Amino acid sequence: MSTGYQPSRQWDRISREWLEEAEIDLATFKSGRPNHKISLWNPETNGVRFLKTLVYNLCTTLTPRDWERLGATRNRDYGDPIQVRHEGRHVCMDYLQATLEAGFLEDRVDLRGGRVMEIGAGYGRTCHLLLSNYDIASYHIVDLRSTLRLSREYLRTVLDRERYDKITFVEIGDVDAVAGPLRIDLCLNIDSFAEMNPETVRGYLSLIDRGSAWFYVKNPVGKYLDSSLDGHAEGAEAVRHAMETGLMQQVLDVHDSEAVRAAAPAFVAAYRPGAGWRDVANAWAPPWSFYWQALYRNEGVTPRGGRP
């Protein structure tokens, strides 16, 4: 018998421990351990691998203008993000999303000389990219005190002094006093309305209705209870809290394109700030399967720096 064709030590071990000794249920094996050795990396232990793969593949879809915005955003690799290198350029998921969001806005809203307010800015990646690419007059960030501490330090580090000085940081308790009297050209909310109490979201929408010309929102169209996605790792109480927040509380299969698309009209209606607002554009917001984005125009307000 020929001895030239033998399994490697790696596959000898896999064969013994995962295929020969284990009981294989053909009804479920494709989502189980045997198949993780045959054709699919185990997603429970390969999260970074799959994230980098997603970012890498998204890089192949970016337009020259998307890359131009990323290139103008200096110091975006500060903070040791999980990145890939594509055609000589490092990219992480956060700034990849930021350039896609800016691209959605860019063809519709002229930001030159505009006043921007962002509600819930995280560490400031959207602010960083917008101030790096557009001649914005002022940028107000409304957020919790703890998050403002992070965004203040991060943006001070990555922006030059001239751009950083355009930012005003507003704690949520001061929002009516500080932001209420302002006339804002563009208000943004990206992935935080879904985590607020519904009455808080309605309060912000009322504020936007009174004083903004444009409003851009990007958030989930609904909720999910599929524990296979995250193992409900933070516990049942965290799941209950998540189900109580936002305006879109319908539970759906977030990886079913038809279910997501069917929820989109309710999303667009829910986030319209008031009766005088027109839905200018709305679309799926890549890369997340169940996120939607919408841009609204206040018919009663003329932006200082924007197109009518």
Side-chain angles (χ1 to χ4, degrees):
M1 180 174 118
S2 172
T3 59
Y5 304 102
Q6 299 294 327
S8 65
R9 287 190 297 176
Q10 177 187 13
W11 262 94
D12 182 60
R13 176 172 173 269
I14 290 171
S15 295
R16 284 185 289 102
E17 296 184 7
W18 278 272
L19 299 178
E20 294 176 2
E21 297 176 6
E23 289 189 12
I24 298 177
D25 183 353
L26 288 179
T28 60
F29 85 98
K30 287 183 180 178
S31 59
R33 199 175 183 190
N35 203 41
H36 294 156
K37 292 299 179 181
I38 296 173
S39 65
L40 180 70
W41 288 301
N42 185 350
E44 294 180 359
T45 56
N46 284 268
V48 173
R49 186 197 301 268
F50 281 113
L51 174 60
K52 285 191 169 186
T53 301
L54 175 58
V55 173
Y56 186 93
N57 280 286
L58 286 167
C59 285
T60 68
T61 70
L62 296 182
T63 67
R65 179 62 184 135
D66 292 332
W67 285 112
E68 184 181 344
R69 285 189 294 267
L70 286 171
T73 310
R74 305 294 175 84
N75 303 314
R76 54 191 165 80
D77 57 350
Y78 180 75
D80 192 26
I82 297 173
Q83 301 185 108
V84 302
R85 190 170 185 268
H86 190 272
E87 302 295 342
R89 295 164 290 197
H90 286 96
V91 187
C92 71
M93 178 61 83
D94 277 342
Y95 282 93
L96 191 150
Q97 290 185 88
T99 195
L100 292 176
E101 292 153 5
F104 187 84
L105 291 168
E106 189 173 83
D107 294 337
R108 301 171 175 93
V109 182
D110 187 347
L111 291 173
R112 290 172 297 179
R115 299 150 299 185
V116 178
M117 181 171 72
E118 184 175 4
I119 301 168
Y123 66 76
R125 52 94 161 163
T126 303
C127 174
H128 182 197
L129 185 134
L130 292 182
L131 286 177
S132 297
N133 283 274
Y134 307 99
D135 184 21
I136 291 170
S138 64
Y139 202 109
H140 283 70
I141 292 178
V142 177
D143 221 324
L144 303 173
R145 178 180 299 178
S146 56
T147 314
L148 286 178
R149 186 166 60 247
L150 173 61
S151 60
R152 185 181 287 112
E153 293 305 314
Y154 179 79
L155 291 168
R156 182 184 288 121
T157 301
V158 299
L159 289 170
D160 59 36
R161 182 62 182 269
E162 180 183 0
R163 290 183 174 93
Y164 180 79
D165 285 346
K166 294 180 179 183
I167 307 171
T168 300
F169 298 90
V170 183
E171 291 187 25
I172 58 172
D174 300 326
V175 65
D176 284 324
V178 176
L182 296 175
R183 302 302 295 179
I184 297 295
D185 294 304
L186 172 66
C187 185
L188 305 164
N189 181 264
I190 297 169
D191 203 15
S192 65
F193 274 177
E195 298 173 347
M196 299 180 190
N197 294 326
E199 58 270 23
T200 301
V201 178
R202 295 186 185 99
Y204 279 125
L205 291 175
S206 177
L207 178 70
I208 295 165
D209 185 26
R210 297 193 304 270
S212 184
W214 295 89
F215 174 48
Y216 171 79
V217 61
K218 172 186 167 184
N219 274 269
V221 299
K223 305 284 189 179
Y224 63 88
L225 283 172
D226 182 357
S227 62
S228 71
L229 299 179
D230 59 6
H232 290 173
E234 297 186 23
E237 184 180 32
V239 173
R240 287 196 300 273
H241 291 169
M243 298 301 294
E244 297 170 355
T245 57
L247 301 181
M248 305 301 295
Q249 296 185 5
Q250 175 190 1
V251 176
L252 68 154
D253 181 349
V254 296
H255 295 106
D256 179 337
S257 61
E258 293 177 339
V260 170
R261 193 162 51 246
F267 175 97
V268 173
Y271 285 117
R272 182 175 289 108
W277 289 74
R278 174 170 55 91
D279 168 25
V280 175
N282 74 88
W284 172 57
W288 312 121
S289 62
F290 63 116
Y291 276 60
W292 211 260
Q293 57 189 341
L295 177 66
Y296 307 87
R297 174 75 168 85
N298 189 341
E299 300 286 8
V301 175
T302 301
R304 175 162 49 183
R307 291 187 288 266

